[in-house]
Amino acid sequence: MVKHIDPDMTLLKMPSLKAVKSFVAAAKYQSFTRAAEALCVTQAAISRQIRELETYLGVDLFKRVGRAVELTEAGSIFFDAAQLSFVNISQAAERIRTNNAGKRTLTLCCSPAFSALWLAAKLPGFFTRNTDIDLNLVTTQNFLSMEPGVTPDIFITKMARIQDGYRSYPLFHDVIYPVCTPRYKEEHPELSSLEGLRDGVLLNLSPYGRSQVAEHVDWGVWLAYHDVDIEKRPHDSPHVFNANDYNLVISMVLTHQGVALGWNHLVATLIENGTLIRPIEEEVVLHESQHYLTFREDRINDDACCRLRDWILAQFS
């Protein structure tokens, strides 16, 4: 006996996925030509698929602006939903594909500074011991607003709570001290005092980039902790350089261009191998705040995810 199945109106009413894929590519690149190149088809094929979709929906999805295209209001609404759907499908397919290949792909989210100055040097040791794990790294300065479809297994942040469904483990307090190269210190012996440090070339992380490491400590704040007023720098003092990229600030320190504030967890390895030194011993410890590892609660029985979590925790134990 054959059981009768009523028509699935949701599936029947869906537009062609091929046409939607062409639409998403055109919207992403704002060009039919670039969309065709991205999908390895002809521009005529892209135009045909988008006309089919517009006919089906009964609205224009694009408006032409010179050689480029822009989304209409209807196009923007449809793009938000379509892009998220394709991201979810792609990630699910990738997880299945990699699991079938014997690999488990984990997503770790952290700041650009943490990834470049802490994680990169330590990952070879993790991969050597965990050959069955692939890592998808997402760097951001805004942990509260992730891209559609991105759901990290683990965050490394300064926030104890990011969203529901995660558990946080405390890692460390911020310890902050000046750093420079041995050569720079030798050329500037005045750096041995707080006043000499204040009056030299200071490389500073601006407020626009402070979320990478610590949101409320710059040279003015750090010196004030030690009762030194940065406003008393002589008018003929060298420059103060401000940037919102901590990786750039450290790169400038490494090329002997001045002194920067070093966050211990980011510069400790460079201190240990002698690449950088502390020109003075003073430091600031922020006991009232911590950094955290935040772990997806639904991964508690996921062996690979737990191994990554435990490895990171062990680095700070």
Side-chain angles (χ1 to χ4, degrees), residues 183-231:
R183 171 180 140 184
Y184 192 82
K185 171 65 184 305
E186 183 178 351
E187 295 172 349
H188 298 83
E190 68 276 9
L191 298 179
S192 297
S193 72
L194 284 166
E195 289 75 15
L197 186 70
R198 175 197 65 192
D199 299 342
V201 176
L202 300 179
L203 308 176
N204 195 49
L205 185 65
S206 72
Y208 302 105
R210 204 76 49 70
S211 61
Q212 297 178 61
V213 284
E215 66 278 6
H216 56 297
V217 177
D218 59 11
W219 271 113
V221 172
W222 191 91
L223 288 167
Y225 266 88
H226 301 289
D227 300 318
V228 175
D229 187 354
I230 196 171
E231 298 300 327

Side-chain angles (χ1 to χ4, degrees), residues 78-120:
F78 193 69
F79 175 69
D80 289 341
Q83 183 190 39
L84 177 58
S85 297
F86 275 122
V87 168
N88 287 332
I89 292 170
S90 176
Q91 291 189 342
E94 182 64 16
R95 285 195 298 270
I96 293 169
R97 189 187 66 81
T98 54
N99 286 344
N100 286 343
K103 291 281 189 178
R104 177 75 170 85
T105 300
L106 304 177
T107 299
L108 172 65
C109 181
C110 62
S111 72
F114 187 87
S115 68
L117 297 173
W118 188 90
L119 186 64

